[in-house]
Every structure is written in structure tokens, then in C-alpha cells.
Amino acid sequence: MKWNRIVQMLAGTAALLLAANFPVSAQVAQAERPGIPGNSPIPMPAGDMSAIAKEAEGWLADLIKINTSNPPGNEQIAAMYVSGILAKEGIQAELLDTAPGRSAVVARLRSAAMADPSKALLLVAHLDTVPVDKSRWSVDPFGAVVKDGYLYGRGAIDDKGMLAANLAVFISLKRSMARLNRDVIFLATDDEETSGEASIRNLIAKHWDKFAAGFAINEGGNVFVKNGKVQYTGVQADEKVAYNIAVIARGTSGHASQPTKDNPVVHLAAAVAKIGNYSAPVRFTSIVRRYFEGLAAVEDDDIGKWMRSMETPDRGEHAQRVISDASPLWNSMMRDTIAPTVLTAGVANNVIPAEARANLNVRLLPGDTIDRVLNDLNKLVNDPQVKLELQPNAGLAAPSSSLESDFYGVISKVVAQEFGGAPALPFQSTWLTDSAQLRLHQVQAYGLVPFPLAQEDLKRMHGDDERIPLASFDKGVGVLAKIVSEFAVAH
Ligand SMILES: [Zn+2]
């Protein structure tokens, strides 16, 4: 018998055991909630989502308690938990094994016996999380602690929050026996955070037929809260492409008591300083241009004015500088960025080493080439002792998703209604997601973590004390349900 099938049999039991060990749903339900703006009651084609959102808070807490820090990931137990939740609803999920101890989960709600895969809608989230530095957390990162209306834990937002919301929406379609006009597919991926051997690339290569779709919703965009209310929703339709470059300085090793001019530590430090102070030229992709046009209308007057001036001949350059300086996100949306991240040099305090190295993490705008960046950096460093070497495992350049598709239209309309008229803006993320792989397979994939989040909470993703306001989670479940219902339920 295949391990796949054994796991499926065990999955139901695992979910029951986990539910018994983690009676969190009740605690979560009693928590205080900070208020969320734009919370107007809108009739839900999939029914009232507040009850299932409460259930989903419990699933989210349980998922946080299953440590899937990647590396090593060990997502299989989380995959079994998810398939167990689905099994209780009468939905048969399949575990797709990618590596020992690692699995993804896929499940489908059918619209017809032979539905057109190019119409299908895929709900994607990942099971793994980035690791934690426990000493820097004020609570147990895997304890799912609820405090002041927040649920704390690694993955609370990224991406177990989205996973639990997808699960709630998928299950609500099943419970309400919604008549679908297209198949809706649930996919929980593994190994997203390192994009490694067990990631969606591998899943697509081995199992594409199990989740082939024309449209997808995934992480990547956010509902941005400023001064207590939703300012805009960024719907990710494209993403930057990641590369790493090694900077290698070489010289003569020797006794530190007699310093030489060719000390590689000195040459490396000088090169890194030049690169760190360098800004690549500005280029507006069409998505970023539309983003700033829309954002200018809802920003403070002063910032809005500069945003509108960025492509004017007289004040453009100054405006670009003002906007870049105002936000690292905006800066990175309008140019290639190069961040020195790792330095390696030296063998002993009294030895001049023969070699010193640094790593540069480069994020290219879609359409730019790494050769041009390498060329520019070589000219900038201009030191024969320093070499730049492109590293393997570069990111993936994929086409952007269309801003004209029906699905993009539905997402934009629903979020504007649900968040008090705050606009939906097309968003080019500076970070990478599984959507690049999907876009390469003709999927119109959009990134939207549907929870309204302030900067204060967004910056905790991949950081310390990650948390989600439970009111935001509940609201996001409702918003996602409305998006999916409008697009996939026959009216
Ligand atoms: Zn993520």
C-alpha cells in the first residue's frame, strides 16, 4: 500500500487527536476584538460566514501549534491535519508527497463531471513558515496565544491565516451545496519559503493535472490599514525576481602585523560600501504606474502630489527621490534593488585572509536582466581584485496576470464594497510567491491576503511576535467568501 493512502487513512484520526489536544476554538471565541472598519453587513452568497470564521480561528490555532518551520518544514503532519478537517466535511483530499516528511494537500469541488480546467479556480496557501528566533518572542511562537484580540504565532498571517481562510471558504461552499459554475480547487503547498525541491515547482512537474486551473488566489497582496482604516487593497498581479550575487575579493594572505595594500577584507568592505549606497535607475512597470496613480488619490496631499509628479520632465527626479525615501516598499517597486546580506571573511584575528566574500540579494523588476545589473555593479566597484559571480537558483521571471480578467474585476469590486470604498490597486510585490510558477502555466493568479492589517502587524511577518487581529481574520474570511462566491457560484 502506498504511503499516500496510509496517510489518508490516518488523516481523519490525526485531526481528531489534534482537536482533542488543542481545545483552542473556545478560548479564541471569547477573546476581545479590536474594531475593524468598513464592517458593513453584505449579503453573503455563501451564507453568513461569521460562524465558520470562528471555527476557522480554531483551525488556524491548531495549524500554528504544528511547527512547520522551513527548513526542515515537516509539513506532512499539517497536511494530514488539513485533509482530516476536509474529510469530516465529506471532502476527499489527496496528500501529494514531495519528499520524506513533506506533503501538499489538494481537494476539489466539482461543477460538472467534465469541467473545463481553464475555467477552474484555485485557492492556494502554503503549509510551511519561516523559522523563529524564540528568544525574541514575547510568547511561545507555536502556542497560538490569544491576547488583546490578537492570535499570536508563527504563520498567523503568513500563511496559515490564509490557509485557514481558504479552508473556511472551501468548506462553506460544500456545506451550502453551492451550485458551481467552475471547479474550485483547494491547494496547500509545502516548501514555499525556500522554493526548494519540495515546492510548487515539483508539484506542478509531477501533479499538474490534479490542480490545473485558469485562475488562482494566493498570498502576495494585502489590505493596507492606515490610521485605523483601510486605505487600499493591493491585489498582486506580478512580482519581482530574486537573484544572489557573490562578491569575492582575493589578495595575499599574511601576517596581520605587516598589513598589505591588497588585503581582501579592505577591498571587499569598499566594494560593499559602494554597492550599499547605489540606487539603480527608476523604471515604472505598467502595474506600478497604475498603483501610484491610484494611491495618489488616497494618500496625504503632499505625498499624493509627489506621486503624480514622478514622470514629469521638470520635477520627476526630485519626486522619485521623495517617494523612494518615504517608503522602502515604494523604493523597491520602482527600481531593481541590491541588498548586501552576508559577509564571510577571516580565519584568525592575527591573519590577513586570502579571500573575503559577501552575498548580494538582488530583486529585479519584471523584464529587467541580471546581466545589466552585473555590468553596472562591475563598473561601480571598478576593482580588479573584486569579482562578482552570479549564484545558482535564481528566481523565476513570469508574465504578469491580466488586469482585464473577470476575476480581477470581481476581486476589485468586492474589496471596494467590503472596505468602505477604499480602492483596489494592482500590486507588484517586491517578494516572491508561488504565483510566479502558476503564471508560467497560464494561470491568472492574484495575490490577496484578505485580512485588513496595519503596517505594525504586516512587518511582523517573517519577524518576531507575528500575530493577526481576530476581527481582521473573521472579516477576511467573509471577504474571501464573497470573492469566491461571486466568481464561482452560479447565480
Ligand atoms: Zn508566505
Side-chain angles (χ1 to χ4, degrees):
M1 189 181 265
K2 276 193 68 189
W3 170 234
N4 246 352
R5 248 183 264 148
I6 299 171
V7 165
Q8 273 171 35
M9 287 168 53
L10 291 172
T13 324
L16 291 173
L17 285 173
L18 284 162
N21 286 335
F22 304 127
V24 287
S25 315
Q27 307 162 25
V28 169
Q30 286 158 13
E32 285 170 52
R33 281 132 209 289
I36 283 302
N39 217 345
S40 57
I42 291 203
M44 210 60 90
D48 179 6
M49 292 298 289
S50 54
I52 198 165
K54 291 281 169 294
E55 276 181 76
E57 289 178 3
W59 303 331
L60 172 54
D62 290 348
L63 284 163
I64 288 171
K65 292 180 177 185
I66 303 170
N67 182 345
T68 53
S69 299
N70 184 12
N74 286 334
E75 297 92 341
Q76 199 159 66
I77 184 132
M80 285 167 64
Y81 174 79
V82 167
S83 88
I85 296 286
L86 291 167
K88 278 197 279 182
E89 304 292 329
I91 301 169
Q92 205 198 337
E94 187 178 357
L95 264 67
L96 306 175
D97 297 345
T98 54
R102 312 191 78 168
S103 308
V105 189
V106 67
R108 178 183 298 261
L109 295 174
R110 290 190 183 279
S111 57
M114 298 270 278
D116 178 358
S118 73
K119 281 184 68 190
L121 173 62
L122 183 62
L123 310 179
V124 195
H126 59 88
L127 294 158
D128 59 321
T129 68
V130 289
V132 295
D133 176 354
K134 244 182 173 160
S135 69
R136 299 179 52 88
W137 282 62
S138 67
V139 294
D140 176 0
F142 306 105
V145 172
V146 175
K147 214 169 63 176
D148 305 325
Y150 291 92
L151 174 58
Y152 283 78
R154 174 55 86 220
I157 300 174
D158 182 11
D159 194 25
K160 289 176 172 173
M162 179 110 201
L163 180 64
N166 284 350
L167 208 47
V169 171
F170 193 71
I171 287 172
S172 78
L173 290 174
K174 165 80 175 169
R175 284 185 189 170
S176 65
M177 294 186 286
R179 197 155 60 83
L180 301 176
N181 58 25
R182 62 187 77 240
D183 283 8
V184 178
I185 306 163
F186 171 92
L187 177 68
T189 62
D190 60 331
D191 202 16
E192 189 276 341
E193 294 292 358
T194 70
S195 310
E197 284 308 309
S199 70
I200 193 167
R201 176 161 40 100
N202 180 314
L203 287 175
I204 288 174
K206 283 202 213 148
H207 301 290
W208 179 235
D209 57 312
K210 304 230 161 96
F211 57 94
F215 303 90
I217 192 156
N218 186 16
E219 63 176 351
N222 292 99
V223 183
F224 292 89
V225 172
K226 189 181 173 190
N227 302 327
K229 58 187 255 233
V230 174
Q231 187 191 24
Y232 70 96
T233 301
V235 183
Q236 188 236 41
D238 206 354
E239 57 188 59
K240 293 184 84 178
V241 187
Y243 289 86
N244 287 291
I245 294 175
V247 186
I248 307 159
R250 293 196 175 93
T252 322
S253 67
H255 202 292
S257 66
Q258 294 170 32
T260 50
K261 295 269 183 237
D262 72 343
N263 183 340
V265 173
V266 177
H267 286 259
L268 181 76
V272 169
K274 282 183 193 167
I275 293 165
N277 288 314
Y278 171 70
S279 280
V282 169
R283 181 169 72 80
F284 294 99
T285 62
S286 61
I287 287 176
V288 170
R289 185 173 285 122
R290 276 183 62 171
Y291 169 80
F292 281 121
E293 278 166 12
L295 191 56
V298 292
E299 265 298 336
D300 309 338
D301 289 349
D302 198 41
I303 289 283
K305 183 191 76 185
W306 289 118
M307 278 180 180
R308 278 186 282 263
S309 306
M310 286 198 289
E311 293 189 86
T312 57
D314 50 339
R315 296 191 303 166
E317 224 171 286
H318 180 67
Q320 290 164 8
R321 204 169 314 120
V322 172
I323 296 305
S324 298
D325 289 348
S327 149
L329 171 68
W330 294 340
N331 174 60
S332 182
M333 285 172 85
M334 58 171 100
R335 52 166 49 97
D336 301 333
T337 58
I338 302 118
T341 50
V342 178
L343 291 172
T344 326
V347 287
N349 287 343
N350 57 357
V351 175
I352 294 171
E355 187 180 288
R357 302 171 74 102
N359 184 73
L360 308 176
N361 191 255
V362 179
R363 302 293 170 120
L364 290 191
L365 291 173
D368 280 359
T369 65
I370 193 68
D371 288 346
R372 211 215 64 219
V373 173
L374 273 168
N375 198 32
D376 291 352
L377 293 181
N378 269 316
K379 273 194 218 148
L380 175 77
V381 169
N382 189 27
D383 180 344
Q385 263 184 259
V386 176
K387 297 270 173 289
L388 301 181
E389 276 179 18
L390 187 59
Q391 300 301 291
N393 299 325
L396 198 63
S400 57
S401 294
S402 168
L403 304 184
E404 312 303 326
S405 74
D406 291 349
F407 192 37
Y408 183 80
V410 166
I411 295 172
S412 306
K413 190 187 80 181
V414 170
V415 295
Q417 280 171 358
E418 289 281 308
F419 295 119
L425 303 178
F427 190 69
Q428 172 186 286
S429 68
T430 58
W431 50 87
L432 36 125
T433 68
D434 280 342
S435 291
Q437 292 282 353
L438 294 170
R439 291 183 183 119
L440 272 184
H441 288 78
Q442 284 77 47
V443 181
Q444 299 295 322
Y446 300 98
L448 177 59
V449 174
F451 320 121
L453 294 170
Q455 200 51 40
E456 161 64 12
D457 292 327
L458 281 169
K459 71 180 183 206
R460 296 167 182 240
M461 291 197 289
H462 290 219
D464 309 319
D465 279 349
E466 183 176 352
R467 65 183 191 181
I468 188 165
L470 286 167
S472 288
F473 177 78
D474 294 0
K475 175 72 183 170
V477 168
V479 171
L480 189 63
K482 191 145 200 300
I483 291 169
V484 171
S485 302
E486 288 232 352
F487 188 60
V489 175
H491 295 290

